[in-house]
Amino acid sequence: MYTELAASVIGIYLVYRIFIRLRLSRAKHPSLRGHSKWSRRIAKQIPFFSYDQKYFFACDGAPEDIQQKRKAALEQLKNHANSSSPKTIAFLSQIKSSISDIIFTSAYRIPFPFRDVLHKELLLGSIVDESKGVQLKDIDGNWRYDLSGSYGVNVFGYDFYKDCIQKGAEKVQDLGPVLGPYHPVIQQNVEKIKKIAGLDEVSFHMSGTEAVMQAVRLARYHTGRSHLVRFCGAYHGWWDGVQPGIGNQRQVNDVYTLSEFSEATIKVLETRKDIACVLINPLQAFHPNSDGPSDSTLVASNRATHFDREKYADWLQRIRNICTQRNIVLIFDEIFTGFRLGYRGAQEYFNVQADMVTYGKTLGGGLPIGVLCGKHHLMKRFKDDSPAFVSFARGTFNSHPYVMGTMNEFLNRIESPEIQQHYSQIESIWNERVQRWNDKLAAKNLPIKIESMHTILTVIYLLPSRFNWMLQFYLRANNLELAWIGTGRFIMPFNVSEEDFENICDCFIQAVEQMQADQWWWQPENYSNKVIQRLMLNDILRAKFPILSKIISSPAAPVYKSDKETIKRVS
């Protein structure tokens, strides 16, 4: 009798555990992005392979005349780079092998199979020595409009930050780089940040990644729970504790990657007892459940955005309510969006108050910083009744006097009526500008569209193509400076004038027209993104399993011709 009872109890328990596991699985996004462990496993299995000269130009089935047009265009881009940027190319060639960031970004500007054929002159980055207005000058004397936004630092324009740095340094120059003691300017900084965040306490760190690490650590410390919830595609710095998928090798078992706008996700948050915190990157409102767009992954034309401010605000409010009910710490990672979306950042923009907020990028007035703000009981690093049970966190360069001085200048300036007026108008200004930009593109029948969230823009490609990543090189040749991720993200500062905007539009449209004329968007009949993705899968399988070369076409020749029947077989 007892044996049967025990077996029944065990059976019920196992059924319950399976039910709980299935509920968690349903809350994950169906893509590989939503399944971190599988994404790592599969990433390890994808081999490197390289398209040769022939296949590079003919991988979409282009006929010989189109191939020759593309070859000539690539040679022309190379010659332009060599003639306009000889000092930059020479300088980067000297330092490239010694700086690992350059090695990585040079290799990952484009999908890797195309890498070897592309000229090194096109893959290298920039060496700049001057900024002015919304432009940068490289060491060859070329002035380009900067669309990179310095990864989000540049909200108000480079002249604004140069002045912040200069005046901030003057405030603390008598002290110098003294570490440990605080300069008195820190008090005003803390009070201003607390008011902006709507929270009680502040800790300073050296980077956004470090601030996020501390937020998550304190949430676990005070809740006594093990797991973090992040949302599919969201970036929270390079720490593997918040990025358990591709790019990090440590086995991470304390992170749940769930799907946004999912009732299954809501159910998980309402029922699980092991969730310490929910980590939100408000930038995901631009492309929910998708990674940040980069040209290195642009193998087809399926980049998309789905920005709906009201819908995302409602979603965040639901998360807020559940976190309150379940004693889960709600953390806003505003490293990127803080001080851009509004004076109070995404909390103001979406009208949701977090328990903890991290800031970085622009808050240092142009100097490196990471800041964590939170409620008193969450920020405390020790427990009164367990004095040996602490959550230790320190940093040698935290609260560096020169950073504090520059931050103080920044915080004072953004309170000015001029900056506050910018905040009230900037989104409507850029919505109208993006509409004009798209009208110009449509009028010229160009296969490009610009989509935006506030002052953050991305390029959407309207025709299926394997060569969309080429646009970044045409843009550079037409005096537009991009980040290494290419056309995935344009970060526009508030100081772009109407004249600047018109010039940027003209440069952009000229680049798109040149790329179109050079036949990179030529298409065979019945071409689609699905066809392109299957071709890429064929190439991966052939490289991984050479025996399949007898079944799948060789990379030495086009995978298929441009005739209708062959394309039907491939698709």
Side-chain angles (χ1 to χ4, degrees), residues 228-246:
L228 152 80
V229 167
R230 62 184 286 270
F231 289 107
C232 180
Y235 181 73
H236 298 285
W238 55 261
W239 174 43
D240 50 14
V242 291
Q243 292 294 323
I246 295 173

Side-chain angles (χ1 to χ4, degrees), residues 118-317:
L118 211 66
H119 300 290
K120 66 178 181 178
E121 294 88 345
L122 301 182
L123 286 173
L124 291 174
S126 299
I127 302 294
V128 296
D129 58 9
E130 188 178 347
S131 63
K132 178 180 64 179
V134 293
Q135 293 181 293
L136 297 176
K137 180 174 74 69
D138 67 18
I139 58 175
D140 290 284
N142 301 307
W143 284 96
R144 297 188 182 92
Y145 286 97
D146 178 40
L147 308 188
S148 75
S150 288
Y151 302 107
V153 171
N154 186 20
V155 176
F156 301 107
Y158 290 123
D159 296 328
F160 173 96
Y161 294 96
K162 286 191 287 187
D163 206 41
C164 282
I165 292 170
Q166 180 182 340
K167 289 185 169 55
E170 291 172 0
K171 293 182 179 184
V172 300
Q173 63 184 359
D174 291 340
L175 178 62
V178 175
L179 304 178
Y182 295 121
H183 189 281
V185 76
I186 196 172
Q187 180 183 19
Q188 191 178 56
N189 291 351
V190 167
E191 291 306 313
K192 289 179 182 294
I193 293 170
K194 284 165 52 180
K195 181 181 177 181
I196 289 166
L199 294 165
D200 309 323
E201 202 169 312
V202 175
S203 65
F204 294 104
H205 305 275
M206 276 304 297
S207 70
T209 291
E210 193 176 313
V212 170
M213 291 169 73
Q214 176 66 351
V216 172
R217 190 178 192 185
L218 286 171
R220 286 178 170 140
Y221 175 68
H222 287 292
T223 62
R225 301 172 186 170
S226 58
H227 279 65
L228 152 80
V229 167
R230 62 184 286 270
F231 289 107
C232 180
Y235 181 73
H236 298 285
W238 55 261
W239 174 43
D240 50 14
V242 291
Q243 292 294 323
I246 295 173
N248 293 295
Q249 307 310 317
R250 183 176 69 86
Q251 199 73 9
V252 180
N253 295 310
D254 53 11
V255 177
Y256 296 137
T257 299
L258 304 184
S259 180
E260 292 185 291
F261 301 122
S262 167
E263 291 303 317
T265 291
I266 297 296
K267 197 66 178 176
V268 167
L269 294 175
E270 288 176 335
T271 56
R272 292 197 72 93
K273 299 179 180 180
D274 57 352
I275 297 173
C277 57
V278 174
L279 189 56
I280 301 287
N281 182 345
L283 186 57
Q284 286 302 108
F286 196 18
H287 41 75
N289 293 312
S290 296
D291 295 330
S294 170
D295 283 2
S296 66
T297 58
L298 199 59
V299 297
S301 299
N302 46 8
R303 179 187 289 166
T305 61
H306 305 281
F307 178 53
D308 184 327
R309 180 176 177 178
E310 184 177 350
K311 180 180 178 181
Y312 201 76
D314 290 343
W315 167 250
L316 291 181
Q317 189 59 59

Side-chain angles (χ1 to χ4, degrees), residues 492-535:
M492 311 305 293
F494 289 11
N495 68 322
V496 175
S497 67
E498 273 299 301
E499 182 182 359
D500 292 328
F501 173 72
E502 290 298 329
N503 289 337
I504 289 169
C505 271
D506 290 344
C507 292
F508 185 90
I509 289 172
Q510 186 171 335
V512 176
E513 288 178 322
Q514 289 171 359
M515 182 164 165
Q516 185 180 55
D518 288 338
Q519 298 296 326
W520 297 105
W521 284 309
W522 174 90
Q523 286 189 306
E525 192 177 352
N526 291 353
Y527 206 42
S528 68
N529 287 326
K530 183 177 286 189
V531 168
I532 295 171
Q533 290 167 329
R534 289 181 178 176
L535 291 172

